[in-house]
């Protein structure tokens, strides 16, 4: 019933080569009619501030310079005129090779603590691709045009592919293809990364530290990378070519209509960077090889809305969801961070519900708190049939019975519902017992194995929610 | 109109050969399900009255035979055990759409009859039957009455307005706003005087809305009031009431807030939608701008249990600002 509310969201991307930050202002409006139960939506996202692109501060090959990163973020906040406590939502993503550093996880959680009220730590090659595909505009375009678009975000360390069809994610894939996989110093090769060394061996080539950094030596490598990318998009990877695969093979099941490139290397392709310039690596050669590859050229190329900032833009503007407006939460318990999601599918009926609930909670404890240390989880209840009041009471009883299995009653009961039922279920759980706090939110789509962060309650009575993965690839 | 006749006609029971147990399901939910008449199995649609003699279902029934032969069937894609088709609203009726994904998305976005296809210049049989069914259900909802058992189970006693017959109710809205003398007496006798919250229910223009939703929304609302520590008076039911009948109740019992659950005028999308009207100190002469409403409470709108849980916080807000409707919005700033 209030007019509207504004919150500030931050996005921070700590990548293989570069680190950048973005601040945006979200407008939340009740879009339901006056005779309806409120429905709060983000109606506008305005970019307030874009930082410069910084080289990611490293201490050595295996450690991120955490102090320098923190200082960098502080400086940028100052320039933008915001304080960490003004940041009400957003995400930090640690991407590419940086995610393999020894202190990557520590870095991420430290920054998430220090740089905002509710700033979510995220990592994982699939998530990088998904977020970049949203930041580059590929997802939006596929939705508008009804086409299948693959967004290929190529940074320093990895190429993250996300395929969207009519706005829906169809699959992802990550490859060891990036500008910084071979580094130069004074026209000589300084470093060749491990996956590229494996590729070189396969191709029968030799590029090693100290070699001349000449185009003719590098060209066969970047050409091979372009070929492998093309075959990945067509899902025709040979066994040998899988040498560059990071994680699972491509998993989309639809042919791709159009492709879009984002990330630092795409900056070179769209002419913003002309020489290997400040980065001293194969980025420019790679860009050229991609542009010349006949296979890749056979698709229609769509210029991205954002190139090097696609991931940070996605992290800052596309990761926050808003819960339903009728929810039941205990404000002192918020924010809640890094909760693993366990799904309880009721399969559209309440038959045998007691067992279904009990089994799900038992499983969740086994998986996420095997040594019973009190690690909490979010129970995601889906497939509920139409519930009468007595059904809600019944469900509440089953849940409380199940939650007795949890060894630490000081943890709140966290329940996420797909359907609009959080308020009544939350109230029911509270009416039935007063020992445990209840956080019950709804109208959020998550999946088994996702992680969930729930932010502070906003004036509009909703909570911001970020759904993410936390996978540090090695 | 003869309500009993209408009632029995609308109770369309659809049954599959060899699966008589399905009958129970259809009549229990009260909603009529249309079977997939394109399915390869030989099904037929049975219509008839079961309200009095459900057992006697082999005689006097209208049989509509499956008019499409099994081998012509296009519905091989439906492999679910239960061959009931998904609701028309979630399914494309166009035979060979150019952009099925896009059409599917639009169709699921609205309960309006879009993407239903056509047979020549006419609507398809299923669409047409469904349209007539929905129209029939809407008419029924207006002329039907609420089962006494339901009201009894919720401990609601019944009072009447100045209206006698439904026809009169429709022609004379003014009489539906006034309580009968007997009603005033009963209310004075039975109800707690000056409660914080007075809850009333009324069939209004849809008895179905009360039948389907009152129990859930009411119990859930009481739970939320209990939890917020807001006390409420003696609830009751007004037969053939209008929204403004709350003003007379306000005069008699002088509650701070009245919450009136009343059936909405039925439409072709839903005939069982319920509204909750709320007003701070309604009295004779209360202006409409001071009333507020949460509408669209039914299984296809806001779930009744969730609406009840939410209404508690609305009442809390009304009590806090001592205002409702436009005045509340102003005070809230």
């Amino acid at each position: 019933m209030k007019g509207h509310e504004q919150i500030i969201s931050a996005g921070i991307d700590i990548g293989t080569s570069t680190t950048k930050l973005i601040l945006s202002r979200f407008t939340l409006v009740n879009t339901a009619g006056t005779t309806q139960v409120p429905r709060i939506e983000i109606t506008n996202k305005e970019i307030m501030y874009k930082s410069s692109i910084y080289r990611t501060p490293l201490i050595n090959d295996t450690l991120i310079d955490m102090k320098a990163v923190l200082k960098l973020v502080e400086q940028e906040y100052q320039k933008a005129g915001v304080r960490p406590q003004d940041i009400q939502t957003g995400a930090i993503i640690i991407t590419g090779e940086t995610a393999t550093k020894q202190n990557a996880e520590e870095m991420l959680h430290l920054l998430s603590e220090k740089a905002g009220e509710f700033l979510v730590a995220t990592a994982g090659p699939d998530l990088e691709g998904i977020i970049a595909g949203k930041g580059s505009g590929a997802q939006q375009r596929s939705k508008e045009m009804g086409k299948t678009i693959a967004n290929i975000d190529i940074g320093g360390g990895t190429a993250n592919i996300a395929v969207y069809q009519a706005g829906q994610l169809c699959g992802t894939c990550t490859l060891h293809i990036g500008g910084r996989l071979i580094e130069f110093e004074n026209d000589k090769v300084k470093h060749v990364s491990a996956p590229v060394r494996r590729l070189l061996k396969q191709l029968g080539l030799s590029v090693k530290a100290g070699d001349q950094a000449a185009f003719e030596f590098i060209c066969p490598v970047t050409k091979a990378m372009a070929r492998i990318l093309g075959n990945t998009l067509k899902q025709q990877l040979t066994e040998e070519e899988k040498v560059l695969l990071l994680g699972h093979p491509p998993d989309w099941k639809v042919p791709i209509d159009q492709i879009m490139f984002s990330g630092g290397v795409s900056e070179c392709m769209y002419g913003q960077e002309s020489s290997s310039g400040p980065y001293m690596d194969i980025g420019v050669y790679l860009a050229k090889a991609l542009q010349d590859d006949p296979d890749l050229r056979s698709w229609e190329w769509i210029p991205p809305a954002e190139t090097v900032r696609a991931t940070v833009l996605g992290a800052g503007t596309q990761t926050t969801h808003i819960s339903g407006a009728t929810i039941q939460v205990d404000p002192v318990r918020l924010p809640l961070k890094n909760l693993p999601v366990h799904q309880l599918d009721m399969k559209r009926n309440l038959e045998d519900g007691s067992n279904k609930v009990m089994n799900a909670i038992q499983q969740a404890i086994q998986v996420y708190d095997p040594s019973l240390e009190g690690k909490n989880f979010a129970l995601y209840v889906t497939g509920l049939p139409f519930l009468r009041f007595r059904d809600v009471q019944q469900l509440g009883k089953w849940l409380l019975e199940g939650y007795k299995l949890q060894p630490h009653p000081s943890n709140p009961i966290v329940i996420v519902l797909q359907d609009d039922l959080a308020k009544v279920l939350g109230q029911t759980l509270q009416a039935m017992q007063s020992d445990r706090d209840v956080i019950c939110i709804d109208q959020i789509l998550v999946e088994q194995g996702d992680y969930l962060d729930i932010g502070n309650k906003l004036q509009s009575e909703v909570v911001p929610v970020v759904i993410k993965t936390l996978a540090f690839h090695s | 109109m003869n309500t009993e006749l209408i009632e029995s006609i609308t109770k369309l029971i659809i049954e599959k050969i060899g699966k008589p147990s399905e009958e129970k399901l259809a009549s229990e939910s009260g909603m009529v399900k249309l079977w997939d008449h394109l399915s390869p199995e030989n099904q037929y649609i049975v219509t008839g009255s079961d309200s009095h003699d459900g057992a006697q279902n082999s005689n006097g029934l209208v049989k509509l035979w499956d008019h499409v032969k099994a081998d012509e069937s296009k519905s091989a894609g439906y492999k679910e055990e239960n061959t009931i088709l998904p609701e028309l609203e979630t399914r494309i009726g166009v035979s060979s759409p150019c952009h099925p994904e896009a059409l599917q998305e639009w169709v699921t976005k609205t309960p309006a009859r879009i993407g239903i296809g056509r047979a020549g210049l006419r609507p398809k049989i299923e669409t047409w039957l469904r349209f007539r069914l929905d129209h029939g259900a809407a008419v029924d909802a207006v002329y039907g009455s609420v089962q006494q058992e339901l009201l009894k189970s919720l401990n609601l006693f019944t009072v009447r307005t100045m209206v006698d017959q439904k026809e009169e109710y429709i022609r004379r809205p003014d009489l539906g706003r006034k309580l009968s003398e007997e009603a005033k007496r009963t209310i004075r006798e039975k109800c707690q005087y000056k409660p914080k919250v007075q809850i009333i229910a009324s069939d209004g223009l849809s008895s179905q809305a009360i039948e389907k939703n009152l129990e859930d929304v009411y119990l859930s609302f009481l739970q939320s009031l209990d939890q917020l520590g807001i006390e409420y008076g003696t609830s009751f039911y007004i037969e053939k009431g209008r929204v403004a009948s709350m003003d007379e109740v306000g005069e008699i019992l002088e509650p701070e807030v009245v919450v009136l659950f009343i059936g909405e005028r039925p439409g072709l999308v839903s005939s069982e939608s319920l509204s909750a009207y709320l007003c701070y100190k309604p009295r004779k002469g209360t202006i409409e701008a001071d009333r507020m409403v949460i509408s669209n409470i039914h299984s296809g709108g806001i779930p009744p249990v969730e609406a009840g849980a939410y209404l508690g916080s609305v009442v809390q807000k009304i009590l806090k600002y001592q205002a409702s409707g436009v005045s509340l919005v102003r005070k809230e700033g």
Side-chain angles (χ1 to χ4, degrees):
Chain A
M1 284 175 210
K2 294 182 187 81
H4 58 82
E5 180 177 6
Q6 291 193 318
I7 59 172
I8 296 178
S9 167
I12 303 173
D13 172 14
I14 306 173
T16 313
S17 317
T18 60
T19 293
K20 50 255 166 197
L21 176 156
I22 212 159
L23 294 169
S24 42
R25 188 179 280 121
F26 294 174
T27 306
L28 272 60
V29 174
N30 176 11
T31 57
T34 47
T35 71
Q36 311 272 312
V37 171
R39 183 177 60 241
I40 309 296
E41 286 179 80
I42 300 174
T43 54
N44 188 36
K45 294 172 182 173
E46 173 207 349
I47 308 292
M48 295 161 61
Y49 181 77
K50 283 183 187 178
S51 78
S52 324
I53 312 283
Y54 292 94
R55 298 299 298 270
T56 299
L58 298 174
I59 293 174
N60 54 38
D61 276 355
T62 54
L63 286 175
I64 308 166
D65 188 343
M66 303 209 293
K67 269 189 197 151
V69 172
L70 267 183
K71 201 167 155 220
L72 196 151
V73 171
E74 267 169 35
Q75 270 174 11
E76 289 299 318
Y77 277 6
Q78 251 168 28
K79 276 194 214 165
V82 299
R83 297 162 305 167
Q85 59 265 39
D86 300 329
I87 310 289
Q88 282 154 294
T89 188
I92 311 162
I93 186 160
I94 197 154
T95 60
E97 301 248 298
T98 313
T100 65
K101 305 296 180 206
Q102 277 171 21
N103 58 351
E105 194 163 354
E106 199 186 341
M107 169 81 255
L108 198 59
H109 292 302
L110 179 78
L111 202 53
S112 125
E113 283 303 312
K114 300 256 175 180
E117 277 284 290
F118 177 61
L119 199 54
V120 171
T122 70
D126 289 343
L127 189 73
E128 287 171 36
I130 294 167
I131 287 183
K134 288 178 176 173
S136 71
Q139 189 247 0
Q140 183 62 25
R141 189 183 162 90
S142 82
K143 191 174 173 183
E144 281 164 11
M145 311 299 283
K147 297 271 188 198
T148 308
I149 302 185
N151 188 73
I152 306 140
D153 189 86
I154 310 183
T158 53
N160 302 85
I161 308 166
V163 177
Y164 287 97
Q165 181 180 51
Q168 296 294 315
L169 180 71
C170 296
T172 56
C173 185
T174 303
L175 299 167
H176 288 288
I177 295 178
R180 212 158 178 73
L181 296 179
I182 302 178
E183 287 175 73
F184 305 142
E185 195 172 53
N186 303 325
D187 293 330
K188 293 257 162 63
V189 173
K190 183 187 162 201
H191 178 73
V192 181
S193 79
V196 175
R197 272 186 304 221
R198 288 197 291 272
L199 176 71
L200 285 168
K201 203 176 155 199
Q202 227 177 55
L203 296 170
L205 292 171
S206 156
V207 178
K208 54 187 185 302
D211 281 5
Q212 204 68 30
F215 180 67
E216 53 268 35
F217 293 119
I218 304 302
C219 188
V221 184
T222 50
K223 265 192 172 161
M225 287 177 168
R227 184 189 76 228
I228 292 175
L229 176 62
N231 286 343
T232 306
L233 293 175
K234 281 192 274 182
Q235 308 221 34
Q236 290 171 356
L237 276 181
T238 62
E239 273 314 306
E240 285 94 59
E241 287 172 337
K242 287 188 179 163
V243 69
L244 289 190
L245 206 58
L246 193 168
H248 62 83
D251 57 358
W252 52 88
K253 293 183 176 61
V254 285
I256 289 159
D257 301 328
Q258 300 172 329
I259 58 177
M260 188 182 269
F261 285 94
S262 64
V265 170
S266 77
E267 189 101 334
C268 308
M269 295 163 70
Y270 290 97
Q272 278 105 328
E273 296 269 352
S274 49
S275 70
S276 55
Y279 295 107
M280 301 296 291
D281 58 28
I282 57 165
V284 179
Y285 300 136
L286 179 59
K288 177 98 177 65
L290 295 170
Q291 276 169 309
D292 294 344
D293 187 84
D295 256 6
L296 291 174
R297 296 204 73 85
S298 64
W299 280 288
E300 189 185 346
W301 288 32
I302 308 293
E306 276 289 337
T307 53
V308 65
R309 287 193 179 86
T311 304
V312 74
L313 194 77
T317 64
Q318 303 289 332
T319 51
T320 300
H321 299 260
I322 297 293
S323 73
T326 53
I327 54 172
Q328 191 77 7
V329 295
D330 207 321
V332 294
R333 288 291 192 166
L334 297 176
L336 281 170
K337 290 185 172 180
N338 306 320
L339 283 175
V341 172
H342 192 80
Q343 189 173 354
L344 159 58
D345 184 359
M346 297 300 287
K347 304 207 165 81
R348 294 280 157 216
N349 70 66
L350 295 179
E351 258 168 57
D352 200 26
S354 170
N355 277 329
K356 282 183 199 161
V357 173
M358 192 64 90
N359 290 340
I361 294 177
Q362 207 162 16
Q363 269 176 18
I365 295 170
Q366 267 165 20
V367 175
Y368 301 111
D369 194 14
S371 42
L372 303 179
E373 299 157 73
K375 286 187 194 132
N376 209 356
F377 60 90
L379 192 66
Y380 180 45
V381 188
T382 59
L384 283 170
F386 176 73
L387 293 188
R388 308 286 317 258
F389 186 71
R390 54 174 181 271
D391 301 330
V392 178
Q393 303 278 319
Q394 186 64 65
L395 181 64
K397 259 184 221 143
W398 291 335
L399 284 167
L400 290 178
E401 200 56 45
Y403 266 97
K404 282 189 190 151
L405 296 172
Q406 244 191 346
H408 290 254
S410 57
N411 274 332
I413 295 175
V414 184
I415 293 173
V416 182
L417 298 159
Q418 207 174 2
D419 310 284
D420 184 8
L421 288 166
K423 194 143 191 131
V424 67
L425 185 62
Q427 282 180 357
T428 302
L429 291 173
Q430 269 175 353
M432 288 177 170
Q433 54 90 43
S434 53
D435 304 344
R436 295 187 65 170
D437 293 337
V438 175
I439 306 282
C440 196
I441 62 172
D442 61 19
Q443 290 166 298
I444 294 282
L445 288 175
V446 282
E447 269 175 47
Q448 175 86 21
D450 282 345
Y451 282 79
L452 194 72
D453 287 43
I454 305 172
N456 289 315
K457 198 171 178 181
L458 305 174
Q459 281 165 32
S460 323
E461 306 269 305
V462 294
V463 288
V465 175
V466 177
I467 300 147
K468 61 179 191 178
T469 58
L470 259 182
F472 293 88
H473 43 89
S474 51
Chain B
M1 273 206 202
N2 182 344
T3 46
E4 234 175 77
L5 178 69
I6 298 162
E7 206 172 305
S8 57
I9 291 171
T10 14
K11 283 201 174 165
L12 262 166
I13 309 157
I14 289 90
E15 162 189 297
K16 197 172 156 188
I17 285 184
K19 267 203 172 178
S21 58
E22 294 291 342
E23 183 198 342
K24 200 180 116 240
L25 199 136
S27 56
E28 216 175 51
S29 73
M31 253 325 283
V32 178
K33 306 262 186 221
L34 284 181
W35 287 85
D36 175 10
H37 59 94
L38 299 175
S39 119
E41 279 153 272
N42 215 10
Q43 298 166 352
Y44 62 87
I45 296 170
V46 185
T47 68
S49 127
D50 86 318
S51 51
H52 306 297
D53 44 8
Q56 188 197 14
N57 62 356
S58 52
N59 295 319
L61 299 178
V62 184
K63 296 188 181 182
L64 302 172
W65 284 95
D66 180 1
H67 57 93
V68 176
K69 291 270 160 55
D71 48 4
E72 300 172 17
S73 165
K74 285 172 268 173
S75 61
Y78 290 101
K79 283 181 190 134
E80 289 166 51
E81 252 176 65
N82 190 343
T83 47
I84 255 188
L85 277 177
E87 295 287 315
L88 260 181
E89 301 89 66
T90 60
R91 174 156 53 89
I92 303 177
V94 179
S95 327
S96 39
C98 296
H99 302 285
E101 292 90 10
L103 189 60
Q104 180 65 52
E105 198 190 331
W106 299 337
V107 165
T108 22
K109 275 212 165 110
T110 170
R113 280 154 235 258
I114 64 166
I116 50 174
R118 61 192 167 86
L121 293 173
R122 291 162 292 127
K124 291 185 176 177
I125 285 182
E126 190 182 355
T127 319
W128 177 237
L129 284 177
R130 181 58 186 270
F131 179 82
R132 297 195 48 185
L133 182 73
D134 287 343
H135 188 262
V139 173
D140 270 10
V142 174
Y143 286 96
S145 60
V146 173
Q147 307 269 329
Q148 279 303 313
E149 290 82 57
L150 170 73
L151 303 175
K152 240 178 250 162
S153 73
L154 296 176
N155 266 330
L156 303 175
F157 65 89
T158 302
V159 298
R160 310 183 62 166
T161 56
M162 306 269 282
V163 173
D164 198 24
Q165 294 292 315
K166 260 279 152 69
E167 290 292 341
E168 185 181 39
Y169 173 79
I170 289 164
R171 279 199 309 270
R172 295 287 306 271
D174 57 324
L175 295 183
R177 295 185 194 120
K178 288 183 189 132
L179 295 170
S180 67
E181 284 310 312
E182 194 195 340
K184 288 182 192 168
R185 256 199 318 278
T186 319
I187 292 170
R188 252 185 222 109
E189 264 168 38
K190 292 196 174 174
C191 288
Q192 181 195 331
Y193 179 61
K194 281 199 170 178
K196 264 241 150 59
V197 180
Q198 175 65 49
I199 308 166
I200 321 167
S202 178
D203 50 357
L205 281 161
S206 170
S207 54
Q208 279 301 306
I210 294 290
E211 293 253 320
K212 289 283 158 59
N213 307 306
L214 183 65
E215 178 182 323
D216 294 327
V217 74
Y218 179 67
L219 295 178
S220 171
F221 180 46
L222 294 190
Q223 175 174 280
S224 85
L225 288 179
D226 284 337
Q227 213 155 79
L228 294 166
I230 300 170
E231 52 105 20
Y232 44 87
T234 322
S235 312
F236 58 93
Y237 174 75
I238 304 179
E239 198 180 291
K240 301 191 188 78
R242 296 266 175 187
V243 172
S245 60
M246 67 161 75
D247 297 354
E248 291 219 313
V249 177
E251 288 287 333
I252 303 168
L253 297 175
E254 298 182 32
E256 279 189 56
V257 181
V258 166
V259 179
L260 168 59
F261 294 107
I262 189 164
E264 288 172 17
R265 181 182 61 83
L268 288 167
V269 169
S270 173
S271 57
E272 52 188 57
S273 185
L274 187 77
S275 277
Y277 280 83
L278 300 99
C279 189
Y280 180 71
K281 293 194 175 165
R283 300 290 184 265
K284 266 183 188 154
T286 290
I287 56 168
E288 297 307 315
D290 280 339
R291 290 189 228 281
M292 52 205 283
V293 63
I294 303 298
S295 68
N296 203 29
I297 303 171
H298 60 107
S299 60
I302 169 145
V305 284
E306 186 73 352
Y310 169 67
L311 280 168
S313 52
V314 180
V315 169
Q316 192 181 35
K317 200 187 279 173
I318 294 176
L319 287 169
K320 180 180 162 197
Y321 289 98
Q322 305 195 332
S324 55
V326 174
S327 318
L328 175 65
V329 176
R330 270 206 203 112
K331 280 195 177 175
E332 245 188 320

